[in-house]
Each structure stands twice: as structure tokens, then as C-alpha cells.
Amino acid sequence: DSRADGRERGAFAGVEFIERVVASLAVDVGLNRPDFSVEPRRVENKISAVKEIEDIVRPCGLAPAKSKAIHSLSQILLEKHKGKVPDNFEDLEHLPGVGHKTASVIVTQVFGKPAFPVDTHIHRLMHRWKLSNGKSVEQTEQDLKSLFPEAAWKKLHLQIIYFGRAYCTARTHDWKTCPICSKFSSAALQKPLK
């Protein structure tokens, strides 16, 4: 039963979950990765715990705010979810520092449930490639869910991210060198949607 596997996976998903939360708050995850090799342990003193977390997430920037959110999130996971990461949107989105996109990533990548996480990068690419004219990431998510079969969402989400990083970047985009933009380029493709 894949649902049972997912529930069991929740007991071991904590570090991966915290990494995802921190990554969603980081300016540049590739350059600013925190070191999560610290052994998990219970720290009774809240001030000490927040300080330890702050030292770990400092490379990502905004460490004081992130460390408080991670500490609160950890307390809620222990008290309300028996130390396990929830496998549903409602519970995930009620946790500090967890929005819809992060919840989508956890639901699909950790628990294998259908979701199509859309962040600002995917939103930008879908506009550039004329696959969505959504004004928000939520609308773009809905557009993509209607364009692609549910079975493809998990893999496609990652493929779009990796392709965008390699070929269709935000700041130094050259439509002539991007395999998609160059192949399907036209005056209309190079202009933003209205």
C-alpha cells in the first residue's frame, strides 16, 4: 500500500522537509546551502535551540527569522503530528514557513502524491513559452495541471526547473541559445503575455 509507505516515510522526512522550507526561503539555494549534518537531538532551552538553528541556516540569509520559524515548525511537528511530517496540504500549509509551493514539493517528492509545484521560476518559464498567461503562480499551476497528465506532474516539475537553470535563465536569457525559445521563436514568443 503506497499510502502506508508514505505515512512511514513521514517519520524520516524531517530533515528533508526542513531543507525544503529553508530552500524556499533562500535567495540562491545553489550557492547558500546550509549544513544539515548536525545530529538531531532535543534541546530543552528554546533560546539555545533557536541559536543553534540560526548558526546552521546562516548561509541562506535571514537566519534569525528562519531559525524561529524552523523552531516553531519543529515544535508543532512534535506536539501535533507525533514528530512526523504531515502528508496533506491542509496540515502542511498551517506550519510556519510553509506555503502552497513548499507543501506541493513535500506532497509529491516525499510522499509520491500528485501535485505540480509552481514557483516564480516555473511561472516565468511558462509565460515565456506561452503555456500560461496566469497572473499568479496559482493560476499557472492550474493551467499546467490542465495541460499535462497527472502522472507526469512530479517529473515534469523537476525537468522544467533543471532545464530553466541550464538553458532559459532569468537574468542572462538569450532566446537564441535556449533550445525551446530558439526553436519556437517568433516576435510573439519573445514578448511577454498581456
Side-chain angles (χ1 to χ4, degrees):
D1 177 22
S2 64
R3 287 177 44 193
D5 292 343
R7 284 191 301 272
E8 188 175 296
R9 175 82 171 106
F12 305 102
V15 171
E16 187 174 352
F17 179 62
I18 298 296
E19 285 179 328
R20 180 70 249 156
V21 171
V22 171
S24 74
L25 300 170
V27 175
D28 187 337
V29 178
L31 298 175
N32 302 316
R33 286 214 77 151
D35 178 9
F36 283 100
S37 62
V38 177
E39 285 294 317
R41 66 188 183 290
R42 185 175 292 276
V43 179
E44 298 302 325
N45 179 333
K46 179 181 177 183
I47 294 169
S48 175
V50 171
K51 177 70 177 125
E52 284 186 44
I53 295 167
E54 188 174 325
D55 291 342
I56 294 168
V57 300
R58 187 170 317 287
C60 295
L62 303 173
K66 288 178 192 166
S67 59
K68 288 176 188 166
I70 291 169
H71 185 270
S72 296
L73 150 92
S74 301
Q75 289 300 115
I76 293 169
L77 288 177
L78 287 171
E79 294 166 9
K80 292 187 178 178
H81 302 285
K82 299 178 183 171
K84 294 183 179 181
V85 176
D87 64 353
N88 63 78
F89 284 99
E90 184 177 352
D91 289 337
L92 286 168
E93 290 179 9
H94 278 91
L95 295 171
V98 179
H100 182 71
K101 195 255 330 201
T102 298
S104 295
V105 170
I106 297 302
V107 165
T108 192
Q109 299 299 329
V110 175
F111 295 107
K113 294 181 175 184
F116 202 131
V118 174
D119 61 7
T120 56
H121 305 295
I122 291 178
H123 179 66
R124 173 182 40 79
L125 292 171
M126 296 306 97
H127 268 261
R128 188 176 282 168
W129 299 341
K130 305 296 185 201
L131 293 175
S132 175
N133 63 358
K135 301 288 184 204
S136 67
V137 293
E138 293 81 11
Q139 181 57 53
T140 299
E141 178 183 342
Q142 293 308 311
D143 292 345
L144 293 176
K145 284 180 172 180
S146 67
L147 283 172
F148 299 103
E150 188 175 285
W153 295 351
K154 177 181 178 179
K155 185 176 181 181
L156 188 58
H157 155 253
L158 294 174
Q159 290 173 323
I160 293 168
I161 290 171
Y162 297 138
F163 183 91
R165 285 179 186 167
Y167 301 105
C168 204
T169 60
R171 293 187 184 148
T172 59
H173 179 255
D174 179 359
W175 65 269
K176 293 177 220 155
T177 60
C178 170
I180 292 177
C181 296
S182 64
K183 184 169 181 159
F184 301 103
S185 67
S186 69
L189 184 62
Q190 297 166 39
K191 293 180 185 174
L193 290 174
K194 298 196 184 221

